[in-house]
Amino acid sequence: MNFDALGLSAPILRAVKDAGYTEPTPIQRDAIPPAAKGRDVLGCAQTGTGKTAAFSLPLLQRVDALATDDPCVRALVVTPTRELAAQIGESLTTYGKHLEDLWHTVIFGGVNEKPQIAELKKGVDVIVATPGRLLDLMNRGFVVLDKIDVFVLDEADRMLDMGFLPDVKRIVAKLPKKRQTLFFSATMPPEIRQLAESMLHDPVSVAVAPVSSTAERIEQHLYFVDKTNKRALLAEVLAEDSLERALVFSRTKHGANRIAQFLEKRGVSSAAIHGNKSQGARTRALDGFKSGSVRVLVATDIAARGIDVDGVSHVINFDLPNVPETYVHRIGRTARAGASGIALSFCDTEEREYLVDIERLIGRHLARIDEHGFVASQPAPPMTDLESRSKGGGQRPGGGKKKSSRRGGGRGRRGGRPRRAS
Ligand code: ADP
Ligand code: MG
């Protein structure tokens, strides 16, 4: 199937072709036709599946068709992080390059608001925003959303994780009731399903590859190692030439800094990216990683969310995440849009129970690397039984709390760590 069959206009098809896309991804194939007709869409798809084009193409087409001389905001995309907002802005530029007189702007916190306000005053058709800064500018009258025709909520489950749901609800309350809504989320926990039900009108549901199955294209390896040897092991695996561009995940910001410093000392070009870095530093790190001057980017989960860099050859889990879905999100940073990739995970003694959760979620065992320079002092545990969790139900035997919450100070995956992008 090619893009011609999706009901998109000629200038948009031309831009898609210019971008080098030959075939729509499954979420694009299923979501674009109804969205282009104006239907609401509930899209369940995980990162790397091509959601941005799935909503941007029909959005641009509709806004273009509705464009009038009357300057007002016709479409709004709300997304949880600055990086995602910036990337969606770039995608709108790419996909909208043959549309004349269609303007969009990107709004997020952590940077001076004045240029954003100046852009808004010039008049824009489309706004891409993170919730906090958007609400702030709405409350002060710089953004008026009463003419919105198309509203997109991207990465809704991540909004929930980051504590943005109340802000999202406040924003939605200001939108016209009669509008098109495109709602995307990688997972559908109950809060998100409720939110979707409250916002969508007779939606077309589209779902691709549940979170646990996308891991299939990725080669996944596991190293049992003592905590104190993790950095040395990292240096060892980075000495491998096939490792072109690696994204290293650290559970903490502090840890990310220390890893990047360690690598720099060893002569490995690296940078850290996390919530405490200034926007300028984050942009520089990301640009360096994209251009290849930074070979290793060390990131925390929130900062890495939505980073879309082609050619990430390896994802390295320096720390194993305590929420198994996070593992899948992380490794999805490699193997973007159909490419294959390699994920390496370092597991210390304390993290062994996280490994059990991860392997049960993805339904397979990570390939053990038994021979390396820093084999753990305790013998490797036996492989876990993958079947002891009912498939898809998310319910653990005994119906108790998720295991992962035991270690998070009793907090579940909502984590009590709300972080604001703005
Ligand atoms: P998601 O939002 O689902 O995480 P993105 O929309 O960021 O995914 O897309 C992931 C990557 O795939 C991007 O690099 C994008 O340019 C690329 N991509 C999207 N659609 C296609 C397509 N139809 N063909 C080839 N590459 C695509
Ligand atoms: Mg996306």
Side-chain angles (χ1 to χ4, degrees), residues 32 40 57 70 96 189 204 210 223 238 256 283 317 324 346-347 395 399 414:
I32 292 174
D40 280 5
L57 301 178
D70 169 26
V204 175
Y223 296 77
L238 289 175
T283 307
N317 293 303
F346 297 175
C347 178
Q395 202 68 30
R414 296 182 60 182

Side-chain angles (χ1 to χ4, degrees), residues 56-123:
S56 298
L57 301 178
L59 176 151
L60 286 166
Q61 168 148 322
R62 279 181 70 76
V63 174
D64 184 50
L66 294 164
T68 58
D69 289 339
D70 169 26
C72 63
V73 188
R74 297 280 183 196
L76 172 68
V77 180
V78 176
T79 191
T81 69
R82 313 164 191 195
E83 281 77 15
L84 276 169
Q87 268 171 20
I88 293 168
E90 284 168 23
S91 297
L92 290 175
T93 305
T94 304
Y95 305 143
K97 68 191 242 202
H98 299 301
L99 302 174
E100 272 165 36
D101 255 358
L102 206 142
W103 298 97
H104 70 265
T105 196
V106 180
I107 288 176
F108 49 73
V111 294
N112 189 336
E113 62 177 27
K114 289 211 176 80
Q116 296 177 358
I117 294 173
E119 279 296 305
L120 289 167
K121 282 186 174 159
K122 285 191 217 156

Side-chain angles (χ1 to χ4, degrees), residues 51-52 84 154-155:
K51 278 179 274 107
T52 316
L84 276 169
D154 186 28
E155 309 249 359

Side-chain angles (χ1 to χ4, degrees), residues 19-193:
Y21 302 173
T22 49
E23 258 186 64
T25 66
I27 190 83
Q28 292 163 4
R29 183 195 62 213
D30 295 344
I32 292 174
K37 287 195 197 112
R39 292 282 304 270
D40 280 5
V41 171
L42 173 60
C44 191
Q46 88 137 71
T47 108
T49 52
K51 278 179 274 107
T52 316
F55 63 74
S56 298
L57 301 178
L59 176 151
L60 286 166
Q61 168 148 322
R62 279 181 70 76
V63 174
D64 184 50
L66 294 164
T68 58
D69 289 339
D70 169 26
C72 63
V73 188
R74 297 280 183 196
L76 172 68
V77 180
V78 176
T79 191
T81 69
R82 313 164 191 195
E83 281 77 15
L84 276 169
Q87 268 171 20
I88 293 168
E90 284 168 23
S91 297
L92 290 175
T93 305
T94 304
Y95 305 143
K97 68 191 242 202
H98 299 301
L99 302 174
E100 272 165 36
D101 255 358
L102 206 142
W103 298 97
H104 70 265
T105 196
V106 180
I107 288 176
F108 49 73
V111 294
N112 189 336
E113 62 177 27
K114 289 211 176 80
Q116 296 177 358
I117 294 173
E119 279 296 305
L120 289 167
K121 282 186 174 159
K122 285 191 217 156
V124 295
D125 304 283
V126 183
I127 292 179
V128 181
T130 55
R133 176 65 62 89
L134 176 66
L135 258 184
D136 180 23
L137 296 182
M138 285 166 66
N139 289 337
R140 287 154 57 210
F142 292 114
V143 180
V144 180
L145 298 175
D146 60 357
K147 299 263 169 49
I148 291 288
D149 290 300
V150 186
F151 172 59
V152 179
L153 189 66
D154 186 28
E155 309 249 359
D157 53 348
R158 196 48 45 166
M159 298 275 190
L160 170 71
D161 291 347
M162 293 172 73
F164 285 149
L165 236 42
D167 282 355
V168 169
K169 288 178 183 163
R170 278 183 213 117
I171 293 164
V172 173
K174 300 284 184 197
L175 302 177
K177 292 272 168 304
K178 198 172 165 316
R179 59 159 200 265
Q180 178 181 25
T181 303
L182 309 175
F183 187 111
F184 291 89
S185 194
T187 55
M188 287 285 166
E191 292 97 325
I192 292 303
R193 197 157 283 287

Side-chain angles (χ1 to χ4, degrees), residues 5 49 136 255 298 315-316:
T49 52
D136 180 23
V298 189
V315 164
I316 301 177

Side-chain angles (χ1 to χ4, degrees), residues 267-278:
V268 180
S269 62
S270 60
I273 180 167
H274 54 65
N276 283 359
K277 293 265 176 182
S278 71

